[in-house]
Amino acid sequence: MIAYMPALYEDELIYSWFARYFAHMYPSYISALEDLMENRNTRADFGFINHLDAGAREIITKIIPMEELIMGHTMFPSYRFVGHGRLSNALESMANTEEDVHRLLPVSKNRTNGQVHYINYCPLCATEARETYGEAYWTRQANIRGIDICAKHKCRLRNTNIEISGKQSARLYVAEEEINDTVPELVEDSLELHLSEYITDVFQSPVYMDNTVGIGEFLNSRLEGTKYLSTRGKMRNITLLFNEFMEFYKELPNQGITKLSQMQKVFTGYRWDFYEVCQIAYFLGINVDDLVNPRLPDISQTEIFNEKVARLYDAGLGCHRIAREMGCSSSTARNANRIKLKAEHDYSGRKGIKRDDWKQMDKEMLQQVRDTCKQIYYNDGGRPGHVTVNAVCRALGFPDKRFDYLPKCRKVIYGYEEKKEVYWAREVVWCYQDLMGSKGEEDIRWRDIRNITNLRKDNFIASFPYLEQFADMETAGKIKSLLPI
């Protein structure tokens, strides 16, 4: 039973807070974990919140609201670029300490390209904490993946050789005991320093949970008017962008993006890595406020182009003259004038429903749609489902076109949107883990997964690149090895 919790310091990780509780109260970390965790064998998560003991949760929420704890004392802000629906579900689940966050967010793996991640600290931050509070603590700022410089003190971060790994023991590492070397290595003015300051500012900025603009869509909008987008705004010159991006960052020690395909996935909305998004945004000159609360322009470059072309045609100019005026090919000028937007069919009058009632229905149905999406996606630990508009319609008994006039509900559904290959990976990981419980690892074969999931061999192979989003590297490797060579 918790009788006392130490003060929670600025930017302190909740892991560090729990470690200091152990140092202040008990000679054994097991005793501290019994007080704090639902299960005494739980390994305290370094970046997030575990399943807390009911009594511990009650005491902690009296000190600080759970959502404020998540936003200000976990690594949650570094996943701000994940799709809106997925991020909202993760926050809700974390606040209620329900589902494991590693199943809800694309949490960075403990090892990236063979590189092990360790707990980092800033020597000057540790010294400052000891002078102010009498003890050092682990900070979030020093453990943002990809940066090696403390933006506050402009000195090089140090690692502790304590690996951040799910295979580590449940021991709580206390910063005051582990931090010994506090001699700073100051960093001169450089691109690495400026990028670290930019990324830290983004991380420390508020997370606007009501903003539904996808980061890929936003970054695409910021290419408008640049040489990386065609005159009409329909085609990205992603190769030119990638080449100039790599040249710009060629001296950077930590190269987040190294492949054209990585950058392409960011712009198409299939990749949300915090460091990579910040790298692209910094290269494009996007300020921090615009990046953390993105807004799309009222009118796109394509719409502006088409309107100008239409006016020139109305003025009597031919397509070749217009092409010279607009700086495009004659075929582009010709096609721009031919495009007519098809009016959407109005289904709102069906079955006697008045148009004014749709907004109210959209509001009233929102929570039910959220619950339905969550049920389909997780299926209470059973076989996961693929969340689509049609699947939600079937589950709720709605007509096919109902969500055409429920935009808020539709956005919730789109928040769960994923490629088929990603869904297959989720399904395969679930199936493998289910088989582990019934058959044992040594007895699992590829045909077992095929028989349960009904996936063809090429579908199974297509899921391989996405397995590590839902399982650790070792498990993903074992699943891939099931397929006979």
Side-chain angles (χ1 to χ4, degrees), residues 128-246:
E128 194 175 86
R130 282 169 174 159
E131 291 172 353
T132 305
Y133 305 114
E135 60 182 340
Y137 60 93
W138 306 122
T139 66
R140 299 187 306 159
Q141 182 175 308
N143 288 282
I144 302 171
R145 292 281 174 91
I147 64 173
D148 296 325
I149 299 173
C150 173
K152 181 179 179 181
H153 294 110
K154 296 179 174 57
C155 81
R156 188 72 60 182
L157 297 173
R158 303 282 175 79
N159 74 57
T160 57
N161 294 321
I162 302 171
E163 185 177 348
I164 303 173
S165 171
K167 296 181 181 179
Q168 290 284 78
S169 73
R171 178 183 169 187
L172 292 163
Y173 291 93
V174 184
E176 180 60 26
E177 297 174 1
E178 300 294 335
I179 297 176
N180 298 313
D181 183 3
T182 56
V183 179
E185 179 190 344
L186 298 179
V187 179
E188 296 181 357
D189 185 63
S190 63
L191 173 62
E192 184 186 6
L193 172 60
H194 296 317
L195 180 61
S196 296
E197 291 172 334
Y198 180 84
I199 292 174
T200 303
D201 285 345
V202 173
F203 180 85
Q204 299 284 15
S205 297
V207 179
Y208 294 93
M209 296 300 298
D210 59 340
N211 192 316
T212 59
V213 176
I215 192 62
E217 191 179 11
F218 171 70
L219 291 175
N220 273 297
S221 75
R222 297 306 293 261
L223 294 180
E224 294 186 355
T226 72
K227 57 186 174 182
Y228 308 121
L229 202 64
S230 65
T231 307
R232 192 178 168 211
K234 282 291 187 181
M235 295 183 64
R236 288 188 303 271
N237 191 339
I238 197 72
T239 303
L240 176 63
L241 175 61
F242 175 75
N243 291 337
E244 294 193 357
F245 173 93
M246 293 303 294

Side-chain angles (χ1 to χ4, degrees), residues 242 245-246 249 254-264 266-267 271 273 275-280:
F242 175 75
F245 173 93
M246 293 303 294
Y249 286 118
N254 294 322
Q255 287 286 2
I257 292 177
T258 57
K259 299 177 182 178
L260 179 64
S261 59
Q262 288 176 279
M263 179 175 284
Q264 183 73 26
V266 173
F267 279 96
R271 196 175 178 93
D273 184 86
Y275 183 72
E276 294 173 7
V277 170
C278 288
Q279 265 193 302
I280 294 172

Side-chain angles (χ1 to χ4, degrees), residues 102-117:
H102 294 261
R103 295 179 179 273
L104 300 171
L105 293 174
V107 177
S108 302
K109 304 302 176 187
N110 300 323
R111 293 170 182 260
T112 305
N113 298 324
Q115 181 183 358
V116 181
H117 296 293

